[in-house]
């Protein structure tokens, strides 16, 4: 099958032959070598004098024996070389005359031998380097050999590098000679074709073939292709023209030859990568010969031949696609006859090969059955293929002579039939189909593969190989099931059923039979004829199958009457139980829906359960007994058929309840609905698991229970147009019925109380007392679970995303659980579970007798004001029964508000009527946020006020300012951090103020003031006094950082001075001091506005200069004209240098005018110390 | 001659399949129709290969088997129509025309308010109409 390879021969020097031939084989292009040890063997190449085909000048047409000689190609591939290489040793060539004569003689012999065949000659001289090379000898040698100088090759086996080169040279020379030889031969034969004087068409075909082969020898593929095609077309012309052979054999020969040519053409096309052309060619070939059927009795030969065509082409395509990975191009074939992509799948050809082989088999069987060829095998024995391709002849042995005698058609047919008998076509067909099946499957073409599988299964089945057949049928049945191809499925199941019958597999037999009987086939028409063992798919057939299988399972004793079933037995030893689960195809045969009428039930109470059964079997089935199984075995119960009381199994029904139903008839396509009461004592999930139907003594179908709500439609029946009835009458249950019911816990008889009062305050540890009081149940292995949940939901316990600066990861934290009073924690920890996490706690409750109580306290701390929901759930078992722990749960919840207890505020005050000019203030005036600045070296008052924003009174222990540890102290504050001597009570809504004075003497831009620390606790009112020794709540420290301040040196400070009060009509002096703190002269423009209530003396407007580091005092005399709180004349000034205007605030710019001189009591002011400090 | 027509749903389940042969090879035709679904799948899943057929309902010749040719048609709702014919020389236009009429008949059949989508088509009118279309196949172009 490989393309032919150039053949060369070498003679002489046998020790070098392996070296040369291996090198030639690996050369590019390779050359096959015939190695002859010496000249005596050279006569093999000599042309025989008597050669009937080519030598004898044009024989009469009848003499042409056939189209192609079978061994012609073989001869050229293995026997007739294109080149003869005569190898001589150098010492012989250039040695003494005797040796030289020997060489000449050898050459002469060679030339004589090869002349008849035009074989080319080349001379190889083995030159070991020892001898002299004389030029005249070389010339003489060339002359003797009649070769060109380049075909005399020197070879030096001792020199490695040189040897390789010269071997290459030798291969090239040989190849060139061979090409020349093949070209000449080809041209010689081509001339014969062109001369047109060829007597018969057969010879043209033969010549074309030869030319093509010669072209192949020299790798001239296009030429080879051209002549193969020409030969092929010429051959087509022969059909119907030639009468050389008897009709059948003639056709056989033509087909054989065309096969050969077609094979060559396809191979060449595929090798050159022209897949599409090759496929198109093959199609044309197949179409051309498809109708050449021949005589009817020999038709099997035609099918055989067709099958072989497909097989061979499929194999060619497969190998080429494996090596080349060529994908079919987009434009397939010509426009008029497009190729489909399937013609590029080898599997397609295998499938068709199998198909034709099947046809061959059937027609062969027909021939065998009609022709009664009894015992003339001896005449067949001596028939062998003759010398021509596609011809057969009988060998006649006459003594030593062997002669070929042509056959008559009759004899040939006998031979062919007997040959055909020898082969087991089924195996061949199965092999072909398996190839196709696997190939289709590997390219994921399921349905084609299924068809191949089906055919393969049929072959196996007819061969009697049940297990293989079953395996294949099973795999393809699932595809048909999935896609709902009922008729195909029916057929496959029919085969499967027979397979299981043959292998005596009762279970499979029953399963397949039930599935078949339940298939939705309603047509009564008896259409198909070529059906499998199942018979035609019809309703009647379904009923037949149904009856057969139920006869089998219902019979008590094995029937001897039924011949078919006598190897299938069901009895007490081998009871049969079929499992029907959610994916089983037997759901068609029986499906069980179970629905509880309630979703939950109390333990011990009754509820209803509906069991619905549906069968698509064609006949009514009577069920002897139903068993309904639950996950709680105590709930299992039986339903027995009232009409068959004797058949109820009495083995284990004593423990279980048995219901009786009037009839358990399962009619086709109608729901059998049963409703029963059910109760359960065990809390938890009660789930119906399966419904087992007993039919007959030894047959049970176990259906997995399904919920109506989750009922997926039966895949096949829903596609059919049939009436769907509802499984349960209650339409709500149809949609929502579940096979699971939740059995509730018994009513808890234990109380859990949460005794929290009021809102919780941020920062304090809030105690929630929990009390467990038993009111009827003993509490065993109790467990208290505590959960904190954000009321608003979400975001409570993972605030990091929202507030990256949160100090704690939890806004509300469960700190701990303190046990009941008198019981210390260490004891609790040792043997009881106690787990506390941030928002979750678990604590075990000790055993409590009925009436006892137990309590603990939850410690919860709020970091942010936030309402939370506290969930407390107690789980316990009322009885100390280890085996059956029935947990009872009590749930309580409580919403607790978290509030900020205290709001801290602060502000700064400058000394009274003393205003520094702070430049940064002016600069930032335009901007919105003004960060406060403090003047340098000036005492500033800081007032911290703590406001109680709860509804509870709060005790305040101290307010202090603490410096941050890590920051250098930058300011001094006085009026200390001492504790209040007696904790102050702050009523709801009231404020507590404390005054600090701050001064900074360092010229730095930022002043870190520190943190306000507030120590407080919730005031318990009267209880506080009573429990003052031990039970007071711990103090809570609230801290708030004060903002950093800017400090700067004010260039100017304005001080307004006037007496604390004035008296009507009494003049007083109003001083305005302007202090220049800079080393520069300051120009000040000032204005003093008139005031209604005062008469004043002095400049209203002026421009003054204040000397560096000195103070300017402006003094005015004022006479009050009205009494009461009066506004002083308004002073305003502008610093020219800083272009900053200054206006003192109006609030500090007033004085109280008494109508007459007042009289003060001296001790009055001491009561309100705090206020007076502020006022000063 | 048309030997078989079929309507196949989008789960590749047969909705309507009718053969028009005297020979009782319905099973074989069922197999052929079923196999042709592979080709439809291939065409639909690899639209590149079919190139110009993109966005066209008519799928053309699906595959040739010994004596039959199979043509396909894909509606917008992914319902497939399959046509099996024994004529070896069929004009594409005829087939297109056939499918167009067949599609119309199908649309009428499934527009019936009593028809449940996805179920088999059992309408007798549809069957009659289909057989008329089948009988007239190839005649229209000849006239």
């Amino acid at each position: 099958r490989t393309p032919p390879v150039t053949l060369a021969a070498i003679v002489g020097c046998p020790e070098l032959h392996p070296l040369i031939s291996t090198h030639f084989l690996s050369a590019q292009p390779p050359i096959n070598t015939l190695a002859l040890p010496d000249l005596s063997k050279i006569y093999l190449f000599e042309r025989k004098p008597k050669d009937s085909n080519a030598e004898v000048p044009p024989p009469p047409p009848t003499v042409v024996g056939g189209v192609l000689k079978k061994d012609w190609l073989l001869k050229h591939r293995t026997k007739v070389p294109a080149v003869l290489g005569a190898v001589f040793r150098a010492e012989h060539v250039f040695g003494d005359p005797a040796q030289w004569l020997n060489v000449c003689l050898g050459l002469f012999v060679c030339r004589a031998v090869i002349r008849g065949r035009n074989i080319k000659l080349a001379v190889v001289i083995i030159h070991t380097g020892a001898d002299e090379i004389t030029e005249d000898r070389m010339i003489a040698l060339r002359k003797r050999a009649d070769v060109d100088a380049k075909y005399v090759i020197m070879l030096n086996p001792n020199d490695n590098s040189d040897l390789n080169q010269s071997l290459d040279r030798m291969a090239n020379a040989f190849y060139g000679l061979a090409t020349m030889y093949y070209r000449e031969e080809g041209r010689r034969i081509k001339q014969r074709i062109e001369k047109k004087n060829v007597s018969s068409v057969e010879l043209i075909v033969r010549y074309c073939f030869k030319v093509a082969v010669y072209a192949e020898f020299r790798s001239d593929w296009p030429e080879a292709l051209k002549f193969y095609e020409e030969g092929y077309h010429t051959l087509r012309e022969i059909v119907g023209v030639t009468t050389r052979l008897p009709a059948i054999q003639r056709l056989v020969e033509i087909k054989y030859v065309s096969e050969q040519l077609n094979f060559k053409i396809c191979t060449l096309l595929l090798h050159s990568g022209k897949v599409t052309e090759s496929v198109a060619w093959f199609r044309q070939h197949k179409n051309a010969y498809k109708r050449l059927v021949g005589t009817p009795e020999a038709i099997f030969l035609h099918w055989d031949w067709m099958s072989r065509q497909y097989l061979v082409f499929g194999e060619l395509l497969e190998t080429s696609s494996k090596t080349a990975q060529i994908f079919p191009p987009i434009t397939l074939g010509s426009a008029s006859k497009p190729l489909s992509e399937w013609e590029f799948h080898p599997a397609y050809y295998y499938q068709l090969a199998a198909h034709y082989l099947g046809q061959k088999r059937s027609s062969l069987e027909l021939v065998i059955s009609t022709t009664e060829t009894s015992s003339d095998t001896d005449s067949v024995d001596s028939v062998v293929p003759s010398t021509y391709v596609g011809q057969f002849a009988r060998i006649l042995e006459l003594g030593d002579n062997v002669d070929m005698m042509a056959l008559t058609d009759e004899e040939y047919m006998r031979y062919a039939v007997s040959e055909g008998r020898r082969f087991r076509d089924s195996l061949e067909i199965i092999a072909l189909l398996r190839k196709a099946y696997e190939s289709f499957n590997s390219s994921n073409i399921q349905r084609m593969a299924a068809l191949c599988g089906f055919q393969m299964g049929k072959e196996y089945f007819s061969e009697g190989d049940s297990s293989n057949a079953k395996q294949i049928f099973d795999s393809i049945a699932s595809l048909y099931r999935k896609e709902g191809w009922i008729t195909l499925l029916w057929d496959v199941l029919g085969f499967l059923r027979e397979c299981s019958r043959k292998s005596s597999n009762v279970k499979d037999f029953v399963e397949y039979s039930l599935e078949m009987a339940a298939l939705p086939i309603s047509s009564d028409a008896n259409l198909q004829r070529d059906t499998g063992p199942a018979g035609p798919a019809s309703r009647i057939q379904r009923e037949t199958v149904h009856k057969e299988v139920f006869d089998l399972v219902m019979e008590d004793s094995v029937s001897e009457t039924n011949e078919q079933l006598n190897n299938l037995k069901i009895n007490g030893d081998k009871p049969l139980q079929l499992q029907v689960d959610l994916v089983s195809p037997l759901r068609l045969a029986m499906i069980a829906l179970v629905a509880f009428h309630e979703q939950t039930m109390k333990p011990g109470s009754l509820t209803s359960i509906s069991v619905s059964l549906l069968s698509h079997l064609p006949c009514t089935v009577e069920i002897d007994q139903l068993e309904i199984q639950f996950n709680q075995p105590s709930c299992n119960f039986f339903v027995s058929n009232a009409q068959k009381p004797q058949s109820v199994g009495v083995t284990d029904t004593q423990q279980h309840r048995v219901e009786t139903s009037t009839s358990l008839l399962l009619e086709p396509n109608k729901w059998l609905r049963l409703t029963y009461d059910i109760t359960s004592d065990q809390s938890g999930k009660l789930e119906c698991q399966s419904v087992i139907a007993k039919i007959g003594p030894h047959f049970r179908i176990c259906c997995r229970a399904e919920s109506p709500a989750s009922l997926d439609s039966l895949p096949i029946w829903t596609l059919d147009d049939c009436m769907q009835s509802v499984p349960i009458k209650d339409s709500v249950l149809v949609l929502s019925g579940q096979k699971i019911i939740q059995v509730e816990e018994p009513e808890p008889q234990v109380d859990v109380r949460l005794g929290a009062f009021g809102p919780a305050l941020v920062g304090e540890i809030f105690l929630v007392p929990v009390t467990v009081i038993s009111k009827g149940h003993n509490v065993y292995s109790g467990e208290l679970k505590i959960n904190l949940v954000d009321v608003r939901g979400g975001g409570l316990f993972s605030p990091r995303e929202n507030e990256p600066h949160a100090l704690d990861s939890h806004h509300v934290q469960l700190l701990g659980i303190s046990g009941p009073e008198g019981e210390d924690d260490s004891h609790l920890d040792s043997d009881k579970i106690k787990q506390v996490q941030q928002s979750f706690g678990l604590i075990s409750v000790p055993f409590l007798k009925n009436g006892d109580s137990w309590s603990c306290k939850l410690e919860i701390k709020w970091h942010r004001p936030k309402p939370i929901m506290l969930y407390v759930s107690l789980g316990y078992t009322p009885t100390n029964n280890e085996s059956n722990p029935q947990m009872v749960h009590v749930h309580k919840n409580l919403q607790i508000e978290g509030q900020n207890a205290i709001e801290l505020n602060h502000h700064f005050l400058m000394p009274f009527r003393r205003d520094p000019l702070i430049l940064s203030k002016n600069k930032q005036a335009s901007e919105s946020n003004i960060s406060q600045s403090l003047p340098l070296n000036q005492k500033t008052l800081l007032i911290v006020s703590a406001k109680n924003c709860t509804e509870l009174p709060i005790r305040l222990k101290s307010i202090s300012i603490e410096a941050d540890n890590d920051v250098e102290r930058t300011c001094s504050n006085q009026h200390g951090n001492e504790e209040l001597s007696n904790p102050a009570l702050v009523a709801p809504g009231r404020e507590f103020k404390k005054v600090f004075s701050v001064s900074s003497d360092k010229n730095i831009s930022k002043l870190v003031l520190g943190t306000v620390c507030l120590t407080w606790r919730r005031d318990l009112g009267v209880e506080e006094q009573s429990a003052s020794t031990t039970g007071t709540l711990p103090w809570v420290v609230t801290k708030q950082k004060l903002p950093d301040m800017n400090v700067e040196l004010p260039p100017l400070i304005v001080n307004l001075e006037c007496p604390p009060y004035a008296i009507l009509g009494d003049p007083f002096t109003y001083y305005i001091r302007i202090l220049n703190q800079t080393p520069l002269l300051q120009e000040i423009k000032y204005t003093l506005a008139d005031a209604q209530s005062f008469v004043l003396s002095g400049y209203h407007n002026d421009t003054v200069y204040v000397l560096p580091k000195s103070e300017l005092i402006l003094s005015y005399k004022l006479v009050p004209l009205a009494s009461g709180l009066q506004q002083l004349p308004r002073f305003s000034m502008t610093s020219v240098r800083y272009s900053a205007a200054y206006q003192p605030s109006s609030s500090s710019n007033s004085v109280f005018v008494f109508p007459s001189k007042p009289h003060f009591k001296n001790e009055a002011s001491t009561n309100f110390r705090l206020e007076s400090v502020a006022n000063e | 001659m048309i030997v078989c027509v079929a309507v196949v749903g989008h789960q590749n389940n047969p909705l309507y399949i009718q053969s028009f042969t005297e020979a009782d090879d319905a099973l074989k035709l069922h197999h052929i129709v079923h196999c042709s679904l592979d080709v439809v799948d291939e065409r639909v899943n690899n639209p590149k290969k079919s190139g110009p057929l993109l966005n066209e309902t008519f799928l053309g010749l699906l595959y040739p088997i010994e004596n039959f040719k199979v043509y396909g048609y894909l509606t917008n709702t992914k319902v497939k129509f399959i046509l099996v014919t024994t004529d070896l020389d069929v004009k594409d236009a005829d087939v297109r025309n056939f499918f167009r009429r067949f599609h119309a008949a199908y649309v009428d059949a499934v527009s019936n308010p009593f028809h449940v989508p996805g179920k088999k088509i059992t309408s007798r009118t549809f069957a009659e109409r289909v057989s008329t279309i089948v009988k007239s196949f190839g005649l229209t172009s000849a006239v």
Side-chain angles (χ1 to χ4, degrees), chain A residues 290 340-342 348 355 445 447-448 451 454 480 483-485 487-488 491 527 529-530 718-721, chain B residues 12-14 24 26-27 30-31 33-35 37-39 41 43 49 62-64 66 118-120 122:
Chain A
K290 198 151 121 190
S340 75
E341 49 267 54
W342 298 103
Y348 171 76
H355 168 78
I445 303 169
R447 299 177 190 88
M448 297 270 188
L451 178 58
F454 178 68
Y480 291 150
E483 302 195 336
W485 287 78
T487 39
L488 304 181
D491 220 40
L527 274 176
R529 211 185 297 138
D530 60 337
T718 43
L719 299 175
D720 210 29
D721 194 23
Chain B
N12 288 330
N13 50 321
D24 294 332
L27 192 66
H30 280 215
H31 273 301
V33 171
H34 187 237
C35 285
L37 297 178
D38 272 333
V39 194
D41 272 4
R43 292 265 169 96
K49 276 190 191 169
L62 294 183
Y63 74 127
E66 320 95 79
K119 294 220 174 194
K120 282 189 175 172
T122 49

Side-chain angles (χ1 to χ4, degrees), chain A residues 304-468:
Chain A
D304 189 26
W305 183 82
M306 284 296 277
S307 158
R308 203 163 56 239
Q309 302 308 301
Y310 279 107
L311 169 64
V312 166
F313 188 70
E315 280 171 350
L316 278 180
L317 204 57
E318 192 170 8
T319 48
S320 82
S321 69
K322 242 181 239 163
T323 51
Q325 285 292 336
I326 301 159
F327 286 100
I330 293 164
T331 51
L332 303 169
S334 59
S336 60
K337 286 193 168 181
L339 296 170
S340 75
E341 49 267 54
W342 298 103
E343 293 177 65
F344 293 93
H345 279 286
Y348 171 76
Y349 296 96
Y350 293 142
Q351 191 191 353
L352 284 172
H355 168 78
Y356 283 115
L357 206 56
Q359 281 203 322
K360 177 224 163 182
R361 184 181 51 181
S362 57
S363 46
L364 180 63
E365 277 162 7
L366 195 71
V367 169
I368 290 171
S369 62
T370 49
T371 58
E372 287 298 318
T373 49
S374 51
S375 64
D376 47 2
T377 46
D378 51 336
S379 71
V380 164
D381 274 347
S382 56
V383 174
V384 291
S386 79
T387 49
Y388 291 99
V389 172
Q391 285 189 22
F392 294 89
R394 171 174 302 172
I395 297 173
L396 290 177
E397 292 183 28
L398 303 167
D400 288 345
N401 282 350
V402 178
D403 206 358
M404 298 284 196
M405 202 182 82
L407 293 168
T408 60
D409 262 2
E410 212 169 299
E411 282 172 321
Y412 176 71
M413 279 308 297
R414 268 209 295 281
Y415 164 72
V417 168
S418 72
E419 280 293 298
R421 272 183 177 168
R422 291 216 328 251
F423 285 104
R424 287 185 67 190
D425 289 326
S426 322
L427 295 185
E428 194 72 17
I429 292 173
I430 288 172
L432 284 172
L433 285 171
R434 184 168 290 280
K435 264 185 175 175
Y437 177 72
E438 279 160 7
S439 170
F440 276 136
N441 262 338
S442 66
S443 34
N444 202 15
I445 303 169
Q446 298 171 7
R447 299 177 190 88
M448 297 270 188
L451 178 58
C452 292
F454 178 68
Q455 286 164 346
M456 191 157 60
K458 256 160 84 173
E459 284 300 326
Y460 274 127
F461 182 75
S462 60
E463 281 285 296
D465 188 349
S466 301
S467 63
N468 269 328

Side-chain angles (χ1 to χ4, degrees), chain A residues 410-583:
Chain A
E410 212 169 299
E411 282 172 321
Y412 176 71
M413 279 308 297
R414 268 209 295 281
Y415 164 72
V417 168
S418 72
E419 280 293 298
R421 272 183 177 168
R422 291 216 328 251
F423 285 104
R424 287 185 67 190
D425 289 326
S426 322
L427 295 185
E428 194 72 17
I429 292 173
I430 288 172
L432 284 172
L433 285 171
R434 184 168 290 280
K435 264 185 175 175
Y437 177 72
E438 279 160 7
S439 170
F440 276 136
N441 262 338
S442 66
S443 34
N444 202 15
I445 303 169
Q446 298 171 7
R447 299 177 190 88
M448 297 270 188
L451 178 58
C452 292
F454 178 68
Q455 286 164 346
M456 191 157 60
K458 256 160 84 173
E459 284 300 326
Y460 274 127
F461 182 75
S462 60
E463 281 285 296
D465 188 349
S466 301
S467 63
N468 269 328
K470 183 173 177 308
Q471 191 193 341
I472 289 165
F473 280 133
D474 263 335
S475 69
I476 60 178
S478 63
L479 176 71
Y480 291 150
R481 238 175 240 145
K482 195 177 86 193
E483 302 195 336
W485 287 78
I486 310 285
T487 39
L488 304 181
L489 181 58
W490 167 272
D491 220 40
V492 172
L493 287 176
F495 277 107
L496 280 170
R497 183 165 166 259
E498 291 311 307
C499 287
S500 54
R501 195 207 296 274
K502 277 184 183 168
S503 54
S504 314
N505 192 336
V506 186
K507 190 171 179 228
D508 284 353
F509 179 77
V510 174
E511 279 182 359
Y512 291 132
S513 300
L514 285 178
E515 191 186 346
M516 278 175 86
L519 282 182
I521 298 165
S522 50
S523 69
D524 295 328
N526 208 335
L527 274 176
Q528 302 120 304
R529 211 185 297 138
D530 60 337
T531 51
S538 69
R539 196 180 160 74
I540 303 157
Q541 198 65 27
R542 275 174 65 201
E543 285 171 16
T544 318
V545 171
H546 175 97
K547 285 201 180 97
E548 191 182 355
V549 68
F550 275 92
D551 283 348
L552 174 72
V553 299
M554 295 301 281
E555 264 162 38
D556 252 332
S557 58
V558 180
S559 65
E560 281 76 30
T561 53
N562 197 335
E563 285 297 319
Q564 279 186 310
L565 296 172
N566 58 3
N567 55 353
L568 298 173
K569 288 175 192 170
I570 298 176
N571 54 34
D573 301 334
K574 292 191 286 179
L576 186 60
Q577 174 156 342
L578 301 184
Q579 294 284 344
V580 183
D581 56 15
L582 291 175
V583 292

